[in-house]
Amino acid sequence: MIPVLPLLLLVLCVSSPIIAHGKTSSLKSSAVCSGHRVSTPVCSRAWLPLNHRRGPCSPFPSSSETIPSTADVLHRDRLRADTIRKGLNGTAGANKRGGGVTVPTALGSSLDSLEYVVTVGLGTPAVTQTVHIDTGSDVTWVQCRPCPAAACHPQKDKLFNPAMSATYSAIPCGSAACNGLGGPGQYGNGCSKRRRECQYIVKYGDGSNTTGTYSSDKLTLTPAFAVDHFKFGCSHAEQLFTDKSDGLMGLGGGAQSLVTQTATKAFSYCLPPAASYSGFLRLGAARAAASRFAVTPMYRSENVDTYYLVLLQGIAVAGRRLRVPAAAFTAGAVMDSGTVVTRLPATAYRLLRAAFRKEMRMYPRVAPPSDSILDTCYNVTGDVKVIPSVSLVFERGATVELDRPSGIMLDGCLAFAPNDDDESVGIIGNVQQRTLEVLYDVAGGAVGFRPGAC
């Protein structure tokens, strides 16, 4: 028997003024940062601007580095999606618990597919650190001194120097926090021989990893919200990102994540429609009110507690519900900020593609990029009305119409891809989440969607 969805609390919030810089009529990325497009509530514990790692709103300085092609991004995206599926397949679907599966030795993060960053302060006095957000990771980490150039990537800010922080401490071996990292194949990496300091390692789906000292210090999210004794990885060796980011903030459901460490009952974010707009990350967000959010139950795996899962039950194109057999969706889907395009059960994808192509039959298809996982592409620009509406229908009837075109198309292609079968877990990628406030009501066991939030 499916449990009754908990009653979600309505919290009255004061809204901030609309912040709009420049024109907002076009969703196409421009060379100028246009700022926030709509107002957002400010009643949360912390509200942080969120930006795409590349583009005019990026906090990173422009450089001569080569921007990867869409095909390159999707190749790394495939690595991430494959690792998520391998970790969860066999644990049973989103509507079940348990199952005899081993916790994966690598997380689902292909780090160079992560796209969104926030800026926080670390240490006392606080040192600015710009980090990627990732709901598919638990351990937060930044690059720390000493970190030889051959072992670390160049970054925007100065390397965090533990010796300069009055509140820094290395976590000792044998402590509960160190033991909580687990043994080989998890996050634990033994102890330093000289100081007996706890060592961590995080392995990612693209084969990269970060290693260093598991540490504690003050994390400042906003002037009014700081976290004392926040546990994070002080990375002394990695070679991961191709941008200037300082590290990663883990927003997963595991014990080491920011969400768990701060006992955050709910958090949310809004990913902007293009790199020329800003979104936001809210921690301690007001739990979803049914009048403002489309709400569906959240599920968790007892074996891999990082991921947040939902149950997709239908898809509509141009207002017409596709005849996807209910059995095709039973494996559930991971809500993921780091996967780019949504992965659907094979049957659901074939029906979506056929319906979308039918609606676009007046426009000739063009060849997709070579080696791309996308297969339905058009040379269509400008008029949003050309693109048919696509809605995702989740359990309990939560219907979410995707933003047009930013939540449906990626570089002119339908931004969905199929799993190999109907038994593998699906993934709701970040393209489909654009402009939605996606709320993770961890305490209430629900995921909410509010359209037009950024």
Side-chain angles (χ1 to χ4, degrees):
M1 181 177 179
I2 298 176
V4 176
L5 183 66
L7 178 64
L8 301 178
L9 303 181
L10 171 62
V11 180
L12 296 178
C13 302
V14 178
S15 293
S16 63
I18 293 177
I19 305 172
H21 306 286
K23 297 180 181 180
T24 60
S25 58
S26 173
L27 297 182
K28 186 177 181 180
S29 184
S30 69
V32 178
C33 181
S34 300
H36 299 287
R37 299 177 61 237
V38 296
S39 62
T40 58
V42 294
C43 61
S44 55
R45 295 169 70 189
W47 187 97
L48 294 82
L50 175 152
N51 292 293
H52 197 279
R53 63 189 283 191
R54 296 186 176 93
C57 291
S58 172
F60 304 141
S62 59
S63 68
S64 59
E65 69 169 319
T66 301
I67 297 177
S69 66
T70 299
D72 288 338
V73 170
L74 292 178
H75 172 71
R76 290 188 286 267
D77 197 50
R78 190 201 305 260
L79 295 175
R80 180 183 181 98
D82 287 348
T83 307
I84 291 175
R85 285 195 298 258
K86 288 176 182 177
L88 286 172
N89 285 349
T91 64
N95 58 339
K96 300 179 181 178
R97 283 185 172 272
V101 69
T102 302
V103 176
T105 57
L107 287 175
S109 304
S110 177
L111 288 188
D112 220 24
S113 70
L114 296 177
E115 296 187 304
Y116 298 97
V117 296
V118 296
T119 299
V120 299
L122 186 63
T124 304
V127 177
T128 296
Q129 299 284 279
T130 301
V131 293
H132 290 264
I133 66 162
D134 186 11
T135 59
S137 296
D138 295 319
V139 175
T140 296
W141 59 267
V142 298
Q143 295 189 126
C144 293
R145 294 184 62 183
C147 201
C152 293
H153 69 267
Q155 64 177 51
K156 168 183 177 286
D157 304 299
K158 291 183 178 179
L159 286 172
F160 180 70
N161 187 352
M164 300 301 292
S165 174
T167 47
Y168 174 86
S169 62
I171 292 174
C173 293
S175 64
C178 187
N179 292 338
L181 293 177
Q186 300 183 42
Y187 300 131
N189 198 33
C191 291
S192 61
K193 294 181 179 179
R194 185 163 61 91
R195 296 185 179 181
R196 301 298 295 168
E197 295 173 344
C198 185
Q199 301 296 292
Y200 81 96
I201 182 169
V202 183
K203 299 178 181 179
Y204 296 99
D206 57 3
S208 57
N209 65 74
T210 169
T211 62
T213 303
Y214 200 45
S215 307
S216 171
D217 209 334
K218 183 177 182 178
L219 176 69
T220 302
L221 297 170
T222 70
F225 184 24
V227 184
D228 292 324
H229 310 297
F230 178 71
K231 300 174 186 64
F232 68 100
C234 217
S235 180
H236 299 301
E238 55 75 29
Q239 192 70 42
L240 303 174
F241 293 120
T242 58
D243 57 21
K244 302 293 185 179
S245 61
D246 305 332
L248 179 147
M249 177 184 289
L251 295 175
Q256 297 80 21
S257 77
L258 175 68
V259 177
T260 304
Q261 287 194 52
T262 56
T264 297
K265 295 182 179 180
F267 72 95
S268 68
Y269 55 72
C270 185
L271 309 180
S276 53
Y277 294 102
S278 292
F280 61 84
L281 169 67
R282 290 203 291 151
L283 297 175
R287 295 171 66 188
S291 60
R292 299 175 62 240
F293 288 85
V295 179
T296 192
M298 172 193 292
Y299 297 96
R300 309 287 290 278
S301 166
E302 292 179 348
N303 297 283
V304 187
D305 55 8
T306 302
Y307 303 121
Y308 307 99
L309 294 101
V310 292
L311 189 60
L312 186 64
Q313 292 188 327
I315 303 172
V317 176
R320 288 182 288 275
R321 182 84 170 253
L322 305 181
R323 295 182 178 180
V324 184
F329 293 119
T330 55
V334 175
M335 291 296 308
D336 189 35
S337 67
T339 300
V340 179
V341 300
T342 289
R343 268 46 174 210
L344 293 174
T347 298
Y349 177 75
R350 287 193 295 268
L351 291 170
L352 167 64
R353 179 178 62 187
F356 190 86
R357 288 179 175 179
K358 181 179 179 181
E359 293 296 326
M360 294 287 290
R361 59 187 178 278
M362 298 299 294
Y363 301 90
R365 297 205 309 272
V366 298
S370 60
D371 299 324
S372 175
I373 60 174
L374 308 181
D375 62 7
T376 300
C377 305
Y378 301 86
N379 186 15
V380 176
T381 59
D383 190 1
V384 173
K385 295 180 181 178
V386 166
I387 309 300
S389 65
V390 177
S391 297
L392 303 181
V393 183
F394 296 94
E395 187 181 9
R396 304 290 171 83
T399 302
V400 181
E401 183 173 338
L402 306 180
D403 184 66
R404 284 194 291 170
S406 76
I408 301 172
M409 308 293 286
L410 180 65
D411 284 357
C413 299
L414 180 65
F416 292 82
N419 284 341
D420 292 335
D421 50 44
D422 291 347
E423 287 72 43
S424 300
V425 68
I427 304 173
I428 308 300
N430 62 44
V431 168
Q432 281 64 40
Q433 299 177 47
R434 290 176 180 174
T435 76
L436 300 169
E437 180 174 9
V438 181
L439 187 143
Y440 296 76
D441 186 355
V442 179
V447 174
F449 304 90
R450 179 171 72 93
C454 65

